[in-house]
Amino acid sequence: MLGTNGQRTDVPVVVLEDQAPNAAGVGPAIIEGPFFTARVPEDWEFVVSDTGDLLLNYRA
């Protein structure tokens, strides 16, 4: 992933369909869904709902 400083940074790639309900993580990360790819920036967190939806929350 290309950071705000212009440098490349290795980030985890999370496959949404492989996550259990209530699985969570923090950015930076890439979320690979069945119909989309999402970038989770630094200072954001993600949670997988009980129904498999991806929820993003700003942590700052």
Side-chain angles (χ1 to χ4, degrees):
M1 185 163 101
L2 191 61
T4 56
N5 60 2
Q7 298 292 323
R8 290 183 184 257
T9 304
D10 290 334
V11 298
V13 176
V14 178
V15 178
L16 183 60
E17 292 178 319
D18 294 344
Q19 304 307 303
N22 299 313
V26 296
I30 302 293
I31 308 293
E32 189 67 37
F35 305 105
F36 67 90
T37 300
R39 181 177 69 93
V40 181
E42 190 172 333
D43 294 331
W44 285 74
E45 65 183 2
F46 62 90
V47 177
V48 180
S49 73
D50 291 339
T51 59
D53 294 320
L54 179 65
L55 307 172
L56 299 174
N57 298 304
Y58 186 59
R59 300 176 351 134

